């Protein structure tokens, strides 16, 4: 089954709210608001697929005067807006609110008919789920700042500006943590995983990133989900001037956990191996086995295995080979011919 979409219901009628929840809770995450004014704030944060404004419960004309704000707001322009009215007012409302709403529905038909129309609109006909993602990908390489498309920690695509800035040649199987200082890799990876699967739509933070030749450069980075329904996928934009904010503070919900994680990466201490760890890595690079290292350094095989384990853990690697490669690439050990 498809992941649930989002619906905002603006009504004060508990009977209508109950009926809509009964019919649509299987397909939608439903949020409620008691007025058009309050509902607008919820809508700009939630970015729902469907908005239902129940005019039958809003008696005063002033209660609905701000309805034009919804469709004129860029991020809400693709939400499907229903106006639910009294049967006797339907024709008048269609004329009065033309261009402000997508469809006027009367209470002359059962609520089940309204719910069926909503399901049909969002699931059978064109869905909104990938609209913003498609728009973004169409402009991907036109962006002057470095941008990557991520799935969790894995880089799915990078624009030309990113490749040029980070001097990336081979782009396959790259991780965002390849550009993060070693001591913070695990924390950053966990933070990205939680962000991509959580409810937050954005995160803006400052950090330091690794460029080629182990150079470190300060940056302001922005994360944003392309779709609430595409699991794990989001974008990251990088601004090395540190002056711009890419995301409107009023749109979406922000993840403070991502900010904390990357800020920690900015204040990391310089990473280095202990003297004994360097000796072991250097001997491993020369092809020494555990027994030979034991004889050379006059330490037990058990101690060597403990050092190997610590090296793997500290470099956030899966194998000792990965740790060695990392050490060589970052000039953390001296390998004599």
């Amino acid at each position: 089954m498809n992941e649930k979409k989002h619906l905002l219901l603006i009504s004060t009628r508990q009977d209508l709210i109950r009926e809509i929840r009964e019919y649509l809770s299987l397909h939608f995450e439903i949020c409620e608001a008691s007025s058009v004014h309050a509902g607008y704030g919820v809508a700009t944060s939630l970015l729902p697929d469907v908005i239902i404004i129940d005019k039958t419960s809003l008696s005063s004309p002033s209660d609905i005067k701000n309805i034009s704000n919804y469709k004129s707001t860029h991020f809400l322009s693709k939400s499907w807006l229903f106006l639910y009215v009294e049967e006797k007012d339907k024709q008048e409302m269609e004329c009065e609110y033309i261009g402000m709403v997508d469809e006027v529905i009367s209470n002359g038909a059962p609520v089940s008919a309204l719910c069926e129309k909503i399901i049909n609109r969002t699931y059978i006909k064109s869905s909104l789920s990938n609209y913003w993602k498609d728009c973004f990908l169409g402009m991907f390489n036109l962006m002057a700042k470095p941008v990557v498309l991520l799935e969790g920690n894995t880089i799915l695509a990078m624009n030309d500006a990113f490749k040029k800035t980070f001097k990336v040649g081979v782009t396959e199987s790259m991780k965002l943590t390849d550009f993060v200082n070693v001591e913070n890799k695990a924390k950053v990876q966990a933070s990205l995983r939680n962000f991509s699967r959580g409810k937050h739509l954005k995160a803006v933070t400052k950090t330091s990133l690794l460029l080629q030749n182990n150079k470190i450069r300060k940056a302001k980075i922005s994360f944003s989900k392309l779709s609430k329904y595409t699991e794990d996928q989001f974008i990251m934009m990088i601004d090395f001037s540190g002056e711009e904010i890419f995301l409107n503070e009023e749109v979406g919900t922000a993840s403070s956990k991502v900010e904390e994680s990357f800020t920690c990466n900015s204040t990391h201490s310089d990473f280095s191996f202990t003297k004994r760890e360097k000796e072991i890595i250097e001997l491993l690079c020369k092809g020494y086995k555990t027994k030979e290292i034991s004889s050379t350094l006059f330490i037990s095989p058990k101690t060597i295995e403990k050092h190997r384990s610590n090296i793997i853990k500290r470099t956030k690697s899966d194998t000792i080979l990965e740790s060695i490669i990392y050490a060589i690439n970052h000039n953390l050990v001296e390998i004599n011919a």
Side-chain angles (χ1 to χ4, degrees), residues 103-121:
E103 195 164 349
V104 177
I105 304 292
S106 78
N107 63 357
V111 173
S112 59
L114 168 64
C115 294
E116 185 177 341
K117 184 173 291 245
I118 290 170
I119 293 171
N120 183 63
R121 170 62 58 188

Side-chain angles (χ1 to χ4, degrees), residues 10 34-39 53-55 57-70 93 96-97:
I10 301 173
S34 58
S35 70
V36 171
H37 177 72
I53 299 178
D54 171 27
K55 193 177 184 300
S57 69
L58 306 173
S59 55
S60 170
S62 62
D63 289 342
I64 204 166
K65 67 178 181 179
N66 295 323
I67 193 171
S68 60
N69 291 342
Y70 286 78
M93 295 296 99
E96 184 174 350
Y97 294 103

Side-chain angles (χ1 to χ4, degrees), residues 148-157 171-177 189 192 232-234:
V148 291
L149 175 63
L150 297 163
E151 185 166 33
N153 182 39
T154 301
I155 297 177
L156 298 181
T171 59
E172 294 181 2
S173 303
M174 293 201 73
K175 309 289 185 184
L176 180 58
T177 47
Q189 188 169 349
L192 290 173
D232 288 352
Q233 289 190 14
F234 52 98

Side-chain angles (χ1 to χ4, degrees), residues 3 6 67-68 82 84 86 104 141-143 182 196 211 216 218 236 241 270 277 283 307 309:
E3 187 175 346
H6 286 256
I67 193 171
S68 60
F82 288 95
Y84 188 67
E86 298 282 353
V104 177
N141 277 313
L142 298 178
M143 296 182 179
V182 64
S196 63
L211 279 67
I216 295 176
K218 298 289 186 181
M236 182 184 81
S241 70
D270 292 335
E277 287 171 345
L283 291 175
H307 281 301
S309 177

Side-chain angles (χ1 to χ4, degrees), residues 208-264:
S208 59
L209 296 172
L210 291 173
L211 279 67
Q212 199 178 50
N213 300 324
N214 210 31
K215 292 181 179 179
I216 295 176
R217 193 171 177 187
K218 298 289 186 181
K220 177 174 284 186
I221 57 176
S222 301
F223 296 95
S224 180
K225 292 183 180 177
L226 295 172
S227 166
K228 298 184 294 292
Y229 321 107
T230 305
E231 186 177 349
D232 288 352
Q233 289 190 14
F234 52 98
I235 61 170
M236 182 184 81
M237 292 184 278
I238 302 171
D239 175 32
F240 286 114
S241 70
E243 297 173 354
E244 297 184 25
I245 296 179
F246 298 97
L247 304 175
N248 189 324
E249 291 296 324
E250 297 180 354
V251 177
T253 53
S255 172
S256 60
K257 295 295 184 184
V258 172
E259 182 171 357
E260 291 171 8
S261 175
F262 279 84
T263 300
C264 175

